[in-house]
Amino acid sequence: MLEVKTFPQDMSGLEVDRTEPRRCLVNGLFEESVEVNGQPRTFYTYLHPDLVYNQPCVVVAPPDDVPVLDYLENGPWLAFAQEHDVFLHVLIPGPGGWDLDGGDADYMNRVYVQINGRRSYVAMQDNIYAVGVGRGATVAQQAVMKMSSEWSGLATFGDLDPRAALNADATAGGENTGKTELVISAAKVQVPVWMAWGENTGANAEVCAYWKNANDAADDPFANRWADEIYFPSAVCKNSSVNEEKISQVRVTNHFGGTLSDEFLGAVWAYLNAACRHRCFGTKALRSRIDPDAYGFTRRTMELDGWTRTWYEYVPERVKTLGRPVPLVVCMHGRGGTAESFISLADMSRVAEERDFILVYPEAGVYQQRPGALRNLLLWCGEYKGEKIDDVKFVLSVIEDVKARCAVDAGRVYACGQSSGGMMTATLAQKAPRVFAAVAPWSALVDPDHELQLPEAIDPAVPFFFLFGEKDWLCADLEHGELEYHAAHDIAAFLKNLMKIYGLDTTPLTYTCGEICYYVYLNAKRVPMLTVGTVRDMSHANYPGESWASYDQFLAKFSRAEDGTLLYMGQPAI
């Protein structure tokens, strides 16, 4: 019999593994609670030994004709979670079985919200997948239809109830959870789906038609070893694939007998896990997940101040053959993220590939976000047991390590990052201004949990390219905000201070390009030492278009001469 635990009320007494700071502080099968439509419900969370944060999450609605613990003990899911390094979350049917009138679809969607809370482990909203088995298949279908933009994929195993398409025209309400950084868009969008059942008729066919329409799938089916019908997206794509890729297929396996083998489950997972969903402007955007090893990243570590520190490094093949020094870009993830997860989210590697520079994704140190909570949420310039973690020293050490092995143009080193990584970007500009030719913070400049400290000077001056969403809870205040773009008080104070110490014209030039409205502040030589961009209809987020805009429109235009002089398009900037 499986042992069911509860998470410790106080996680702060648990030791963090200094050799793997991301390692979950507890493991086993745990019972969690969630409130659904005013009623308490419980579900199980399985964390296998050695699991680290921000791995994919699989939320399963199991059959309701067998006790859930028996199903877990005798079924494939615990072994699946260990083999594929996933967080496993399993719903529990009510006493009468699944409610197929929509109540348990809401339950599944509330579990999605709950597992993003960072209370006892750290999950990431970009890679959460819904699965339904038996009558649970209908629950999963209803849940994903109602909150499509939150789920990165859907798989169901079993014939569907006629109520499976109950939420075909319904959406959940939007929700912003604030400092957990979870925003529920609940829009109708494309979703990768795989459905196994008896025949593609009746309610099954109705749901198949729904997803073909949602995914803009062509009518002609293909097939492979595991799927009898594979409907690919139509070839017509009117939008750029920079921020969202048209990748959702509809896969159908007929004659499914009810036995979910490890091999079949592995094939379904390989398909689902190839996609992830990123926060973006408007809603969340679906993209192909970047596997660091397959893409060509190298994972590197160093021992520093008693911690094993990690970064991912990407050197494009063309760069290796250029025979000349190239720029180096440091790209930093947000609070609770990881270097690996930010590779897909920021998508800066494609910019590196096409613009010929070396790219590094360092990983932050640890921090305790709230009293009694876990002590190894990743955050830049954090602390452990009152011990400050010197992340400036770490990033500069990474840069020196790369320069010792690769031909780096020391006059074209840049930094960028989102949220906590944006704060770290601003910190690097202040603490190591001679190292960086320009920086691009995204979604943050200052730490909202500590008193604002404004620099009296940044010498030599470092140009700033700052992007944030119009609805960003951290950076914008639509009612009481300052400057032309309603910046929150601390953000506005930092920007005004930059204008002061750099001697900038406080009346910006403005222009709009696509979803971004730019405000450009010039110095006496008409050089844009500060550019602020507000992204329409975006909350606290980051998306691939920011990487391209930051490098092409700003970073690449700045460099430093050997004597440290800042140059703008080859000419002295100051």
Side-chain angles (χ1 to χ4, degrees):
M1 177 65 69
L2 293 172
E3 178 189 2
V4 179
K5 310 175 187 179
T6 57
F7 286 111
Q9 288 293 316
D10 187 348
M11 302 283 289
S12 62
L14 301 176
E15 293 291 325
V16 175
D17 184 349
R18 289 174 176 260
T19 67
E20 177 47 275
R22 296 181 303 153
R23 194 184 311 280
C24 294
L25 299 185
V26 293
N27 62 77
L29 183 66
F30 297 88
E31 188 175 62
E32 294 196 66
S33 61
V34 63
E35 185 175 295
V36 186
N37 299 324
Q39 299 297 319
R41 296 290 295 271
T42 57
F43 65 97
Y44 296 123
T45 291
Y46 178 66
L47 311 178
H48 76 75
D50 297 324
L51 184 65
V52 297
Y53 294 149
N54 275 332
Q55 296 302 103
C57 298
V58 176
V59 183
V60 180
D64 61 2
D65 57 355
V66 60
V68 175
L69 291 180
D70 290 349
Y71 177 72
L72 281 177
E73 192 163 28
N74 299 315
W77 291 106
L78 299 183
F80 166 84
Q82 294 192 49
E83 179 182 356
H84 297 284
D85 280 328
V86 302
F87 288 81
L88 180 66
H89 309 276
V90 183
L91 309 186
I92 303 174
W98 289 121
D99 172 10
L100 302 186
D101 290 325
D104 281 337
D106 292 341
Y107 164 42
M108 191 171 201
N109 284 332
R110 291 317 298 176
V111 169
Y112 169 93
V113 175
Q114 177 79 2
I115 62 181
N116 280 280
R118 298 175 180 171
R119 292 172 175 83
S120 305
Y121 50 87
V122 180
M124 199 167 195
Q125 58 188 285
D126 306 89
N127 49 10
I128 303 179
Y129 307 83
V131 174
V133 185
R135 276 168 50 87
T138 294
V139 174
Q141 288 285 347
Q142 292 174 343
V144 177
M145 286 183 189
K146 193 170 184 179
M147 216 162 76
S148 303
S149 56
E150 313 313 308
W151 298 93
S152 295
L154 166 66
T156 58
F157 304 93
D159 287 314
L160 299 174
D161 185 271
R163 290 165 287 183
L166 175 74
N167 291 326
D169 298 318
T171 55
E175 183 177 351
N176 188 340
T177 64
K179 290 188 177 182
T180 65
E181 288 139 37
L182 173 65
V183 176
I184 303 297
S185 302
K188 295 290 190 184
V189 295
Q190 59 167 330
V191 179
V193 295
W194 194 320
M195 298 165 291
W197 47 42
E199 296 292 343
N200 194 352
T201 58
N204 297 341
E206 181 183 4
V207 168
C208 182
Y210 172 89
W211 287 118
K212 287 176 64 179
N213 180 69
N215 293 342
D216 191 26
D219 287 329
D220 293 332
F222 295 81
N224 65 14
R225 175 187 175 190
W226 295 107
D228 301 297
E229 304 169 35
I230 301 176
Y231 299 94
F232 288 92
S234 71
V236 176
C237 185
K238 296 183 179 180
N239 297 322
S240 165
S241 293
V242 169
N243 295 316
E244 179 162 55
E245 297 170 320
K246 194 176 180 182
I247 57 175
S248 290
Q249 301 170 22
V250 178
R251 293 192 174 189
V252 172
T253 298
N254 295 312
H255 313 296
F256 176 66
T259 300
L260 187 53
S261 68
D262 293 341
E263 194 175 12
F264 181 36
L265 182 56
V268 173
W269 177 242
Y271 164 64
L272 292 185
N273 193 39
C276 52
R277 193 176 296 285
H278 298 322
R279 287 155 284 175
C280 195
F281 59 95
T283 184
K284 295 176 183 175
L286 198 71
R287 292 189 60 80
S288 299
R289 186 181 67 86
I290 296 176
D291 181 314
D293 293 333
Y295 198 94
F297 277 86
T298 301
R299 184 180 185 271
R300 299 189 182 275
T301 61
M302 68 169 62
E303 302 303 314
L304 188 68
D305 298 333
W307 294 87
T308 300
R309 303 303 304 269
T310 300
W311 76 97
Y312 282 86
E313 180 176 308
Y314 184 66
V315 183
E317 290 300 319
R318 177 177 143 80
V319 165
K320 298 175 183 177
T321 64
L322 285 177
R324 58 175 172 78
V326 298
L328 172 64
V329 174
V330 180
C331 194
M332 290 165 287
H333 64 83
R335 176 175 58 184
T338 63
E340 182 177 349
S341 65
F342 204 52
I343 289 172
S344 293
L345 206 161
D347 204 29
M348 183 65 84
S349 52
R350 299 185 205 273
V351 188
E353 186 70 33
E354 298 198 19
R355 298 297 187 261
D356 295 335
F357 60 79
I358 296 170
L359 172 65
V360 293
Y361 285 94
E363 192 158 274
V366 300
Y367 180 73
Q368 184 178 337
Q369 183 176 353
R370 58 171 69 94
L374 49 90
R375 295 194 295 193
N376 60 338
L377 183 75
L378 299 192
L379 176 123
W380 294 101
C381 296
E383 63 178 24
Y384 181 62
K385 295 183 177 180
E387 164 197 350
K388 295 288 185 182
I389 297 176
D390 191 347
D391 280 332
V392 173
K393 177 181 178 181
F394 168 52
V395 172
L396 296 182
S397 297
V398 169
I399 292 173
E400 290 306 310
D401 187 280
V402 176
K403 289 166 68 174
R405 293 179 285 101
C406 304
V408 173
D409 184 342
R412 292 188 292 168
V413 177
Y414 311 106
C416 56
Q418 192 261 341
S419 192
S420 175
M423 299 173 205
M424 185 62 188
T425 300
T427 298
L428 290 170
Q430 297 171 68
K431 300 292 186 181
R434 295 186 180 278
V435 174
F436 299 95
V439 296
W442 305 320
S443 307
L445 286 165
V446 297
D447 185 345
D449 295 327
H450 295 86
E451 185 177 353
L452 177 63
Q453 301 291 327
L454 297 175
E456 296 182 1
I458 299 178
D459 186 19
V462 180
F464 275 71
F465 186 78
F466 175 49
L467 299 178
F468 69 99
E470 291 178 332
K471 299 178 181 178
D472 191 324
W473 63 268
L474 180 62
C475 300
D477 185 338
L478 296 179
E479 186 175 353
H480 303 292
E482 302 174 43
L483 301 170
E484 294 89 338
Y485 29 86
H486 306 287
H489 175 71
D490 282 0
I491 298 294
F494 189 94
L495 296 173
K496 290 177 181 178
N497 191 61
L498 276 182
M499 298 175 205
K500 176 183 175 182
I501 64 178
Y502 287 177
L504 306 183
D505 187 340
T506 57
T507 302
L509 303 178
T510 64
Y511 70 99
T512 298
C513 182
E515 71 278 5
I516 306 178
C517 183
Y518 291 102
Y519 302 84
V520 183
Y521 298 88
L522 306 176
N523 68 4
K525 285 198 170 184
R526 310 301 288 171
V527 172
M529 293 296 292
L530 170 63
T531 296
V532 177
T534 60
V535 186
R536 74 165 185 261
D537 196 24
M538 188 176 82
S539 183
H540 192 63
N542 174 251
Y543 63 104
E546 293 184 336
S547 296
W548 290 95
S550 297
Y551 192 80
D552 284 356
Q553 295 189 38
F554 196 80
L555 298 177
K557 297 180 180 180
F558 290 94
S559 61
R560 290 200 186 278
E562 290 188 8
D563 64 359
T565 299
L566 182 67
L567 304 177
Y568 178 66
M569 295 194 288
Q571 300 300 313
I574 299 174

